[in-house]
């Protein structure tokens, strides 16, 4: 998930407490007696229509109330959910036939049907639905043509061939398909219910929402900042669900989250910035590894100074990533030595972590950086100072990182002058999309655990590539990986693509984000996915 706010999946890092009226001053001890927990969201829930949303609160909630064909287990591997088993493809890897559980039901008692998947997936590509997350369907038959407005969304390669039988056809084999369909965007929708309440009203409040997962949503008006999940009595695996209730409240400020946790009013508090930095030795701190890389988008449009590869390389070599993570962030984040974050995926052909086997040295080299700066300026016809702008959002952590980079470049590279613009989210997104920047602070939080989810967004003309990195060799490697007929070729091309990206300095990785959580020691069984969203459905809390 990074996405034009990761199709705005921006993890709000600075937050303000709003108390959950329904819980009042309920303590964690009372939560334990009632088998309930209280969690936070970083912003208000706006919609639970998974076909046109890709925001963090929505996906967090959907993960705990709904299920797709598969869900991720504690080892981040897909396991059967609505599907009865993990399906092996036929037709040279291009055809999947799924059988939906006979006892799968929606929270209103409707049976979950194969057509609910077909309906949902096609809605996700229907222009009338204002879809925002279309690119993840690429590879499913006709998806690319649909996205490019060359075919109707009705031609997408998914079809219910019976009440409980679903057939999916691909344009080419996809080695990562099983991981892909565990994402919330691929969850089904109760077709009869959606049509009854109307597509404009569906998912706008608790009354107009149904779910097929472990919980169902209540006490949500569509505008309030607190709501509740309660057990779904129709859930197919309800005997595995130990919690009776999950309470959510909006908490936008990290210090407030810490205080609420200390007062027993949150069982899992996400903290960041100065708060996280000061609590690294707290006994309740849990550092969550995420497939999450913070990096600099580099504007490579024609006529911009950083269209020159040597100048991009000079900037990368001048930044001391270890100092950045150890002294500026000091929150458990690690220096980034590749685009793909560690822990995202193990290369099965080598047995090595993909990130580690494609990493470059993070050690700064000021002498080489200055040499490249001089050569790059000459090639680009730049005389005098090299003036660069850094654009980012207005969160404190973003400002701190920008100021550090500014200091590094101004002091280590004579003749480089850096200006900073930290803007509200909408304004900085507009600046990036219009190409009015040299360096932009951004990140990619992977949607699913495969390197293609990172590398695929940097092909030429991809909407997630506002820096306009464009390299024919890179594009070819990504296309070869996507259409590879076997695992050996697939991973070989991905390794080559990552190395090509770093060689060309298409982006400048800075650090791997580590989420800091304060967790009630009585809470266990939470599945914190490296790529994906926290799953509390199998959690327990002791008295």
């Amino acid at each position: 998930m990074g996405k034009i706010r990761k199709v705005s999946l921006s993890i709000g890092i600075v937050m303000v407490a709003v108390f959950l009226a329904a819980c009042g001053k309920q303590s964690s001890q009372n939560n334990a007696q009632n088998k309930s927990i209280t969690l936070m969201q970083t912003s208000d829930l706006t919609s639970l229509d998974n076909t046109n949303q890709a925001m963090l609160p929505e996906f967090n909630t959907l993960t705990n109330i709904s299920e797709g064909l598969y869900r991720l287990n504690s080892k981040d591997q897909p396991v059967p959910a609505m599907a009865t088993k993990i399906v092996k493809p036929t037709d040279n890897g291009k055809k999947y036939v799924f059988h939906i559980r006979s006892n799968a039901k929606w929270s209103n008692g409707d049976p979950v049907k194969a057509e609910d998947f077909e309906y949902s997936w096609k809605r996700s590509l229907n222009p009338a639905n204002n879809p925002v997350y279309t690119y993840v369907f690429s590879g499913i038959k006709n998806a690319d043509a649909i996205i490019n407005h060359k075919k109707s969304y009705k031609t997408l390669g998914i079809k219910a061939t019976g009440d409980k039988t679903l057939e999916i056809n691909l344009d080419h084999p996809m080695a990562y398909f099983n991981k892909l369909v565990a994402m919330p965007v691929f969850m089904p929708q109760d077709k009869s219910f959606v049509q009854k309440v109307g597509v404009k009203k569906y998912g706008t409040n608790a009354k107009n929402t149904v779910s097929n997962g472990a919980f169902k949503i209540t006490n949500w008006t569509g505008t309030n900042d607190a709501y509740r999940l309660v057990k779904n009595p129709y859930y197919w695996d309800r005997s595995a669900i130990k919690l009776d209730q999950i309470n959510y409240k909006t908490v936008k400020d990290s210090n407030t989250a810490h205080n609420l946790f200390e007062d027993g009013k949150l069982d899992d508090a996400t903290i960041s910035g100065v708060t996280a930095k000061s609590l690294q030795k707290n006994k309740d701190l849990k550092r969550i590894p995420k497939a999450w890389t913070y990096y600099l988008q580099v504007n490579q449009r024609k006529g911009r100074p950083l269209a020159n590869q040597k100048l991009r390389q000079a900037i990368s070599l001048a930044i001391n990533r270890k100092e950045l993570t150890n002294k500026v962030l000091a929150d458990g984040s690690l220096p980034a030595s590749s685009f793909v974050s560690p822990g995202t995926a193990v290369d099965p052909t080598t047995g090595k972590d993909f990130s580690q086997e494609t990493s470059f040295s993070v050690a700064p080299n000021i002498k080489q950086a200055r040499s490249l700066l001089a050569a790059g300026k000459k090639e680009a016809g730049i005389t005098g100072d090299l003036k660069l702008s850094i654009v980012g959002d207005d969160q404190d952590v973003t400002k701190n990182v920008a100021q550090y980079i500014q200091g590094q470049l101004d002091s280590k590279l004579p003749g480089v002058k850096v200006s900073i613009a930290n803007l509200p989210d909408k304004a900085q997104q507009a600046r990036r999309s219009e190409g009015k920047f040299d360096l932009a602070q951004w990140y990619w939080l992977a949607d699913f655990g495969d390197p293609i989810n990172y590398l695929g967004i940097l092909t030429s003309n991809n909407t997630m590539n506002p820096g306009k990195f464009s390299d024919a060799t890179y594009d070819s490697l990504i296309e070869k990986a996507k259409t590879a007929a076997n695992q050996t070729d697939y991973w070989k091309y991905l390794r080559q693509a990552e190395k090509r990206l770093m060689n060309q300095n298409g982006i400048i990785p800075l650090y791997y984000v580590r989420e800091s959580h304060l967790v009630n020691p009585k809470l266990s069984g939470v599945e914190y996915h490296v790529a994906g969203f926290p799953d509390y459905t199998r959690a327990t809390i002791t008295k």
Side-chain angles (χ1 to χ4, degrees), residues 295-308:
Y295 65 100
L296 293 175
Q297 293 173 333
V298 187
N299 193 345
Q300 293 156 69
R301 291 169 172 81
K302 186 177 180 180
R304 305 295 300 202
L306 298 184
N308 183 275

Side-chain angles (χ1 to χ4, degrees), residues 213-253:
F215 294 89
K216 63 179 182 178
I217 190 166
T218 64
N219 299 84
W220 178 52
T221 64
T223 58
N224 54 327
D225 48 33
Y227 57 96
R228 180 180 302 143
L229 307 185
V230 298
K231 262 187 178 181
N232 174 8
Y234 295 105
Y235 181 53
W236 70 274
D237 194 25
R238 56 188 176 276
S239 63
I241 310 307
K242 307 306 180 186
L243 293 175
D244 294 323
Q245 183 173 297
I246 299 175
N247 305 304
Y248 277 104
K249 62 173 71 175
T250 301
V251 183
K252 296 182 179 180
D253 177 73

Side-chain angles (χ1 to χ4, degrees), residues 18 25 125 131 195 198 209 227 236 331 425 431 479 505 527:
V18 182
K25 296 184 178 181
L125 290 182
Q195 292 180 335
T209 303
Y227 57 96
W236 70 274
D331 60 359
D425 192 60
R431 183 81 69 90
E479 184 61 25
N505 299 101
E527 296 176 353

Side-chain angles (χ1 to χ4, degrees), residues 365-494:
N365 188 327
I366 306 305
K367 181 178 180 180
Q368 186 180 1
R370 290 176 177 176
S371 176
L372 287 163
L373 174 65
K377 287 176 65 176
K378 185 175 182 180
E379 287 181 0
I382 297 172
T383 57
D385 291 339
L386 172 61
K387 297 180 179 179
L388 302 174
S389 62
I390 299 178
V391 173
D393 62 40
D394 56 358
Q395 297 176 25
D396 287 344
V397 65
T398 310
K399 293 177 182 178
N400 293 340
V401 171
Q403 291 167 7
Y404 177 79
I405 294 169
Q406 179 188 50
Q408 288 278 286
L409 300 184
D410 283 351
S411 64
K412 302 295 174 57
L413 299 178
V416 173
K417 303 297 181 184
V418 178
S419 62
I420 297 173
N422 289 110
L423 307 169
D425 192 60
K426 186 175 181 179
Q428 63 92 9
Q429 286 187 37
R431 183 81 69 90
R432 289 187 304 113
S433 63
E434 294 167 3
K436 296 179 180 179
F437 69 94
D438 294 304
L439 299 166
Q441 296 170 266
W442 202 237
Y443 59 85
W444 189 256
L445 175 59
D447 304 292
F448 57 96
D450 194 284
I452 196 70
N453 188 232
Y454 291 84
L455 301 174
I457 68 166
L458 292 177
T459 52
S460 300
N461 301 317
N462 191 294
T463 57
M464 304 299 167
N465 180 17
K468 298 301 181 184
F469 168 64
S470 181
D471 179 73
T473 299
Y474 182 82
D475 289 348
S476 175
L477 290 168
I478 294 299
E479 184 61 25
K480 287 178 179 178
K482 286 183 174 181
T483 58
N486 57 70
Q487 290 282 328
T488 299
D489 286 344
Y490 177 71
W491 291 93
K492 177 183 70 175
Y493 292 131
L494 287 180

